[in-house]
Amino acid sequence: MALRWSSWVTDGEPLIDAVGELVITQPMPSMPIFLWGDDDGSRLIDSYYSMYPGIWRHGDWIKITPRGTAIIYGRSDSTINRGGVRMGTAEIYAAVLDIDEVIDALIVDLPGRAPTVDAHVCRLAPGGPAG
């Protein structure tokens, strides 16, 4: 299935080899045409089309490489709020995945447990500190 996707900055300019918003620029078969209980369509428009009118903003950070492959960095619209400090999971992933021995990680927000964010490292490189 062909899909017209791109990485855009806030003003709608496409990016290559830099992180931006994942957008779908042409309709695709699996796009919802309405949301349950959203009789006037305002929630659908606000959720997916408000940033770039007429263009689907998926809500993920993506980098499209010069060879046309993609790296998805996590939700652009998810925010963890701990002790009044708001940060996106993409910021946490960037810090954790910058460690050479970490090859994959999962950020899990556990509200009510403590004023911290739990970062669960899923895979370490062979020969790393735990391997």
Side-chain angles (χ1 to χ4, degrees):
M1 174 172 73
L3 181 66
R4 290 271 188 149
W5 49 277
S6 187
S7 173
W8 283 11
V9 292
T10 321
D11 65 0
E13 289 294 316
L15 295 170
I16 298 293
D17 211 25
V19 177
E21 288 279 348
L22 169 59
V23 296
I24 309 299
T25 59
Q26 296 290 319
M28 65 177 184
S30 62
M31 281 180 155
I33 56 174
F34 68 92
L35 300 176
W36 187 264
D38 183 26
D39 297 331
D40 65 357
S42 60
R43 204 170 85 215
L44 176 72
I45 298 299
D46 186 51
S47 297
Y48 296 105
Y49 295 98
S50 61
M51 183 175 277
Y52 309 108
I55 301 294
W56 175 281
R57 179 185 66 98
H58 194 69
D60 286 312
W61 294 118
I62 187 171
K63 176 166 66 172
I64 299 172
T65 68
R67 66 175 204 230
T69 59
I71 302 167
I72 297 178
Y73 287 88
R75 300 296 295 171
S76 62
D77 58 359
S78 70
T79 303
I80 297 171
N81 186 342
R82 291 293 189 215
V85 176
R86 297 171 55 86
M87 89 177 42
T89 55
E91 296 166 310
I92 302 168
Y93 280 117
V96 171
L97 294 174
D98 196 40
I99 301 168
D100 290 338
E101 294 82 11
V102 177
I103 54 178
D104 199 3
L106 176 64
I107 306 304
V108 180
D109 181 26
L110 302 174
R113 296 259 328 250
T116 60
V117 174
D118 289 328
H120 295 267
V121 177
C122 297
R123 288 180 41 200
L124 296 175

